[in-house]
Amino acid sequence: MGEKEDRINQLLKLARLSINFSLTLIASGILVSVLILYPPSFDKTSSIHPANVSSTEFSVDSTEIKNGIHVPSGLIADKGFELVLKTCAQCHSIEVVKQNRATKQGWKDMIVWMQKTQGLWDLGIDEVPILEYLSKNYSPKNTGRRKNLENIEWYYLKD
Ligand code: HEC
């Protein structure tokens, strides 16, 4: 092997190296530009659990109350309404709740029905205050005051 051939080989090696280097540069340049133009989104709000499809109807944080009504949701602003809002507007509109009237047992039955058929979770310690609120504020409407009872025979219940 002559000295000339060695030189040529060295030059070829250098050329290959520099081509590789420029290609790498170009590739990274393209990658960086794409990342800048279309930044990846790490938004987790599209999780499928209903608990994460939180309602965008209104902000639960808004506390504006007018004439005893929580303005953003229209719920009666009584003790526990935040809990109902937080829990019961996750799968359907809070309108579904507001449009209904029931006794405590009636509300309990609806909750059990949703738990059995609609994937509603166990409400845990929230169930009691939720039922209290619903049965107090969304009870079957009275159609006026009933007449006083007369001639009642009182008796004691035995246990
Ligand atoms: C896991 C999802 C989910 C949650 C949370 C949920 N519901 Fe429901 N609920 C449903 C579905 C589904 C329906 C039936 C579909 C519809 O009517 O839009 C329904 C229907 C209802 C109805 C109508 C029942 C009828 O007879 O038509 C009422 C009232 C109701 N829900 C109240 C509540 C209350 C009160 C809460 C909070 C304790 C609540 N929901 C939380 C899923 C849910």
Side-chain angles (χ1 to χ4, degrees):
M1 277 209 199
E3 210 180 297
K4 213 173 177 181
E5 233 170 304
D6 268 357
R7 261 208 110 89
I8 290 174
N9 270 340
Q10 263 178 353
L11 278 176
L12 276 175
K13 225 183 208 170
L14 201 71
R16 239 180 274 130
L17 265 178
S18 55
I19 286 172
N20 279 347
F21 183 67
S22 353
L23 282 180
T24 311
L25 262 187
I26 290 167
S28 354
I30 290 172
L31 188 66
V32 167
S33 330
V34 166
L35 281 177
I36 288 170
L37 285 175
Y38 307 101
S41 126
F42 298 108
D43 201 348
K44 290 260 159 57
T45 51
S46 56
S47 171
I48 40 166
H49 191 275
N52 294 323
V53 188
S54 88
S55 176
T56 48
E57 278 177 290
F58 39 72
S59 161
V60 178
D61 300 330
S62 169
T63 50
E64 195 192 347
I65 288 166
K66 230 183 237 169
N67 302 324
I69 300 290
H70 177 243
V71 175
S73 67
L75 277 179
I76 295 169
D78 197 10
K79 188 167 162 246
F81 87 88
E82 297 100 331
L83 198 57
V84 169
L85 191 51
K86 209 176 65 182
T87 312
C88 308
Q90 292 190 26
C91 302
H92 47 62
S93 164
I94 199 70
E95 297 301 319
V96 175
V97 180
K98 285 192 298 181
Q99 282 162 6
N100 270 272
R101 296 285 180 281
T103 59
K104 192 180 263 189
Q105 187 57 49
W107 282 110
K108 168 80 184 169
D109 291 347
M110 280 189 252
I111 287 173
V112 169
W113 171 77
M114 281 181 283
Q115 285 169 335
K116 278 192 183 145
T117 62
Q118 310 297 334
L120 177 60
W121 48 90
D122 184 350
L123 298 177
I125 55 162
D126 292 343
E127 183 167 306
V128 169
I130 285 175
L131 284 176
E132 284 293 329
Y133 170 86
L134 291 171
S135 58
K136 182 178 165 203
N137 295 290
Y138 295 90
S139 67
K141 276 236 167 75
N142 290 327
T143 50
R145 202 183 183 294
R146 66 166 167 77
K147 260 175 74 186
N148 285 339
L149 297 173
E150 286 165 79
N151 305 322
I152 311 155
E153 285 181 11
W154 294 102
Y155 58 91
Y156 291 100
L157 291 171
K158 293 184 193 100
D159 49 16

